Amino acid sequence: MSSRPDQLYLPKLAVLDRVVDEIAEVRTFYWHFEDPAEQAAFKRFKPGQFAQVSLFGIGEFPASLPPSPTEDETFFTIRTVGSCTSALHALKPGDQFGVRGPYGNGFPMDAYAGRDLVFVAGGIGLIPLRSCIIYAMAHREQYGRIQIFYGAKSPTELMYLSDLKQWEKAAGIECHLTVDRADPSWQGHTGVVGSLFKQDGVNLDPAKTTAFVCGPPIMFRFVIQDLKGMGFEDHNIVSTLERYMKCGVGKCGHCCIGVAYVCVDGPVFTFEQIRKLGEEI
Ligand SMILES: Cc1cc2nc3c(=O)[nH]c(=O)nc-3n(C[C@H](O)[C@H](O)[C@H](O)COP(=O)(O)OP(=O)(O)OC[C@H]3O[C@@H](n4cnc5c(N)ncnc54)[C@H](O)[C@@H]3O)c2cc1C
Ligand code: FES
């Protein structure tokens, strides 16, 4: 981010390289900055941070950074919702757009060294957690047991399929998938994501485990209940919060909850912090 006040909101020019369909209305956009120096500076982002994406003449929106800083490519995974996200979906390879960031606190991955990590994601909640998972795998020796629990409504709504296939086969991590409603193609587990915790071979040690939880509010609520039932303390559960954002840098106040600005104090918060902020779960 530029330290010059007159350049605080100035996006840097980015070029779209390629687009990959994930699930209905969700695509992954691979891109690079026109200026290689900007690309190098941006690559110092942390898992869990976000960027502001500009569609010229239309507007800006915040987007998580699903790549890990340990990967070469930069990309966003975006669901079409309204004017800006639809404009991004309409771009073709070679088209330009703007990016500013990285912003926000990110997950303090070093602080979890020596601990077991559990990633629990529902639907597009896997977008912000993908970065942490790839980062943890790239620093495998720093962490204890790594388990992933991912659920979607149906098999066609599972995202990042090539990652999921790799994670299911990878040595040193355990990946458990589920869908709420199976179809004839689905041979795996059926049920909500929390039902995976009851599968054979799954056991979590709440005292030495940090749980990352991201997903729709209903899934979040039930997973928190499950984790608390197992004995997880609130400070060992981490998540990201979404709020309407404008500036992304702590100036406009759009993203305030309680005493926190989600864009600078978050978007990563422990469940203990989320409760203290008065957020309804
Ligand atoms: C930190 C952060 C990270 C995010 N990461 C991603 C990501 O990786 N991928 C992704 O697809 N989306 C992500 N989002 C959500 C994304 O920013 C919104 O979908 C986007 O701002 C919508 O812009 P738009 O102009 O297309 O829609 P608009 O025209 O602004 O809005 C269309 C509709 O969506 C609703 N809406 C807009 N923004 C939000 C929001 N933040 N929460 C709930 N409802 C909203 C509006 O009320 C309206 O009904 C993130 C949001 C935040 C705050
Ligand atoms: S988005 Fe402006 S203060 Fe957070």
Side-chain angles (χ1 to χ4, degrees), residues 48-50 62-64 103-107 125 128-129 213-217 220 224 237-245 255-281:
Q49 286 192 295
F50 69 95
S64 307
Y103 296 135
N105 56 355
F107 290 95
L129 291 191
V213 186
C214 283
F220 187 77
I224 295 289
I237 302 172
V238 282
S239 187
T240 60
L241 290 183
E242 265 199 29
R243 273 298 175 280
Y244 290 104
M245 289 185 183
C255 65
C256 255
I257 32 169
V259 293
Y261 282 3
V262 175
C263 66
V264 288
D265 302 315
V268 173
F269 293 97
T270 65
F271 185 58
E272 184 176 38
Q273 292 170 317
I274 291 173
R275 270 198 318 103
K276 282 187 182 155
L277 287 169
E279 193 68 351
E280 279 197 19
I281 300 300

Side-chain angles (χ1 to χ4, degrees), residues 10-11 44-45 102 126 128 136 138 149 160 172 218 224:
L10 190 68
R44 291 187 211 113
F45 69 85
L126 190 56
F149 299 90
Y160 298 134
I218 182 88
I224 295 289

Side-chain angles (χ1 to χ4, degrees), residues 71-95:
E71 292 179 294
D72 292 334
E73 291 189 291
T74 38
F75 53 92
F76 298 114
T77 301
I78 304 297
R79 182 192 288 275
T80 38
V81 171
S83 49
C84 292
T85 48
S86 302
L88 182 70
H89 275 245
L91 295 186
K92 302 272 176 291
D95 287 346

Side-chain angles (χ1 to χ4, degrees), residues 244-255 261 263:
Y244 290 104
M245 289 185 183
K246 285 286 176 202
C247 70
V249 291
K251 303 284 183 199
C252 72
H254 268 82
C255 65
Y261 282 3
C263 66

Side-chain angles (χ1 to χ4, degrees), residues 161-174:
L161 286 181
S162 63
D163 288 324
L164 296 181
K165 279 185 195 140
Q166 280 186 29
W167 298 345
E168 281 188 302
K169 282 189 276 173
I173 64 164
E174 296 148 69

Side-chain angles (χ1 to χ4, degrees), residues 20-21 37 42 67 70 80 85 96 102 111 118 121 159 174 205 224 229 240 253 267 272:
V20 173
D21 286 335
F42 188 86
T70 54
T80 38
T85 48
Q96 289 180 328
V118 166
M159 295 184 39
E174 296 148 69
D205 180 345
I224 295 289
T240 60
E272 184 176 38

Side-chain angles (χ1 to χ4, degrees), residues 140-183:
R140 186 66 195 86
E141 69 294 343
Q142 283 187 24
Y143 304 104
R145 193 170 175 189
I146 298 179
Q147 296 179 76
I148 300 164
F149 299 90
Y150 176 45
K153 284 188 194 146
S154 67
T156 55
E157 289 178 67
L158 289 165
M159 295 184 39
Y160 298 134
L161 286 181
S162 63
D163 288 324
L164 296 181
K165 279 185 195 140
Q166 280 186 29
W167 298 345
E168 281 188 302
K169 282 189 276 173
I173 64 164
E174 296 148 69
C175 179
H176 307 268
L177 306 180
T178 186
V179 295
D180 295 353
R181 288 183 312 275
D183 65 19

